[in-house]
Amino acid sequence: MSIVQLNISLADDDEDDRLFFKEVIDDVKMDTALSLFNDGQELMRYLLKPDLILPNLIFLDLNMPIKNGMQCLREIRGNKKFKDVIIAIYSTSSSENDIEDTFVEGANIYINKPNSFKKLTEVVEKVLQINWQYQTSNLNKENFLFRI
Amino acid sequence: MNFFVKYDLNILGRVAIAQVLEELALDYRIKSLGEIEIVESLDIDSRTLLADKLAVFGIAIVDDEKTALVQRIKLTIDTLIKDKEGISVKLSVYLSNVLNYSYAYLSNLFSELTHTSIENYVILCKVDYVKELIGTSNLTLTEIAFRLHYSSVAHLSGQFKKTTGLTPSSFQKILKKRKERLE
């Protein structure tokens, strides 16, 4: 399987974090298309559009107004249409319970939001690399669990 | 009722390919490492038909030679990791002998096309296999370490933690809770 372009979505209510993330993605040496959402409800409305080209990878903030990341995660994992979509939780919380709960609910990656541009670049590059390998190799997606 | 299955992707792939080729009445031979030889040459229509039928199983025909070689490197590594016997030579020597290219060439090509190095890919595959064994077998971590030729359980746990950010036991706990949720 070859990926021509990697479709990425990010839902985060913090405008600075969204811009920061966009800058990092623009710098990465991979062909990507990024869609940004201000909260979980916006993301879910987008995902449920008919004929949408599904994202390969969704970055989800946990604490968002209207619809939080955990609710989005449950809705996405409850819908067979999204079974191949990789979900990365992108949160400031480093509570062991939050981390375990999101994995149990079907998240693939848990990222603690880094506080520097350099660190975020490293983290995003690592996530994209691992994701690439899972999309193009004989690796078992059922066991796609990483904490970064 | 719910039940769990485990499967071997290599076997699934072979069976699916054989089924498609037989359906199209092609005289074929499945060589190792994802290479297939067919006696007749295909015109564009038959080739498209073959590609469509394989696509149902998520199998794609690799057209370009570099991508095909990267695929062979990956398959050689996958097979090797799951082989109980292991190899007595270094991986770089082994790959170079099996694939008939210098390791420097293979290594550069791999990094160029997959966004990662052969060494990182090997670690990712080994950890993936450890995850699979933790989830589907009754082997202890010590037995898994021995089977995958780690020098010790500590080495396995260290590499697992460094690669996945989780300890083998927290990974196991998550898998268990996921299964409980499904029941």
Side-chain angles (χ1 to χ4, degrees), chain A residues 66-81:
Chain A
I66 311 175
K67 188 173 274 181
N68 70 30
M70 200 64 177
Q71 285 170 290
C72 293
L73 175 64
R74 288 201 185 105
E75 284 182 33
I76 294 169
R77 281 300 176 240
N79 188 334
K80 284 209 172 100
K81 185 178 158 195

Side-chain angles (χ1 to χ4, degrees), chain A residues 47-106:
Chain A
L47 290 178
L48 293 168
K49 274 187 194 165
D51 305 322
L52 174 79
I53 298 173
L54 291 181
N56 307 94
L57 190 57
I58 299 174
F59 289 82
L60 260 184
D61 182 19
L62 281 184
N63 294 315
M64 290 185 288
I66 311 175
K67 188 173 274 181
N68 70 30
M70 200 64 177
Q71 285 170 290
C72 293
L73 175 64
R74 288 201 185 105
E75 284 182 33
I76 294 169
R77 281 300 176 240
N79 188 334
K80 284 209 172 100
K81 185 178 158 195
F82 306 120
K83 66 179 172 37
D84 290 328
V85 177
I86 300 303
I87 302 179
I89 301 297
Y90 181 61
S91 170
T92 46
S93 162
S94 52
S95 125
E96 290 299 323
N97 281 340
D98 277 354
I99 295 170
E100 195 180 294
D101 287 351
T102 55
F103 278 137
V104 172
E105 296 285 346

Side-chain angles (χ1 to χ4, degrees), chain B:
Chain B
M1 82 180 233
N2 289 313
F3 61 97
F4 297 92
V5 294
K6 55 178 180 173
Y7 43 82
D8 185 321
L9 287 171
N10 281 323
I11 298 176
L12 277 179
R14 271 174 181 269
V15 173
I17 291 166
Q19 188 188 314
V20 168
L21 292 168
E22 272 158 29
E23 199 183 316
L24 297 175
L26 293 168
D27 194 0
Y28 70 96
R29 192 158 68 87
I30 298 183
K31 296 179 166 184
S32 58
L33 310 174
E35 191 179 356
I36 294 152
E37 186 188 331
I38 50 175
V39 178
E40 46 277 82
S41 55
L42 295 178
D43 59 35
I44 291 184
D45 287 348
S46 331
R47 199 190 144 83
T48 310
L49 183 64
L50 175 63
D52 288 348
K53 288 196 177 280
L54 288 173
V56 173
F57 296 100
I59 299 169
I61 299 177
V62 180
D63 281 313
D64 113 77
E65 269 174 49
K66 284 183 170 180
T67 313
L69 185 53
V70 165
Q71 224 38 53
R72 289 175 68 201
I73 297 173
K74 286 186 176 179
L75 281 165
T76 309
I77 293 169
D78 295 349
T79 314
L80 196 58
I81 287 172
K82 293 188 179 171
D83 184 1
K84 284 182 191 163
E85 303 302 321
I87 43 164
S88 51
V89 291
K90 277 172 69 178
L91 178 70
S92 55
V93 178
Y94 182 79
L95 283 175
S96 167
N97 285 343
V98 171
L99 302 170
N100 266 322
Y101 287 94
S102 78
Y103 185 69
Y105 174 74
L106 293 175
S107 160
N108 283 331
L109 181 74
F110 196 91
S111 304
E112 191 188 309
L113 292 186
T114 70
H115 307 284
T116 194
S117 64
I118 289 185
E119 287 74 15
N120 278 334
Y121 179 75
V122 170
I123 293 173
L124 199 60
C125 282
K126 278 183 97 164
V127 168
D128 186 68
Y129 192 41
V130 172
K131 284 177 170 179
E132 194 178 312
L133 291 175
I134 288 177
T136 59
S137 77
N138 294 322
L139 297 177
T140 65
L141 221 46
T142 312
E143 287 164 338
I144 295 174
F146 182 75
R147 171 117 171 231
L148 272 84
H149 310 284
Y150 282 97
S151 56
S152 64
V153 183
H155 182 208
L156 180 153
S157 299
Q159 194 172 75
F160 194 97
K161 176 83 207 278
K162 191 163 176 255
T163 311
T164 67
L166 301 162
T167 62
S169 56
S170 55
F171 173 77
Q172 197 163 23
K173 194 171 152 201
I174 291 163
L175 279 193
K176 202 169 151 247
K177 287 200 171 176
R178 271 192 184 177
K179 282 186 185 176
E180 283 165 6
R181 265 189 83 250
L182 289 171
E183 273 156 18

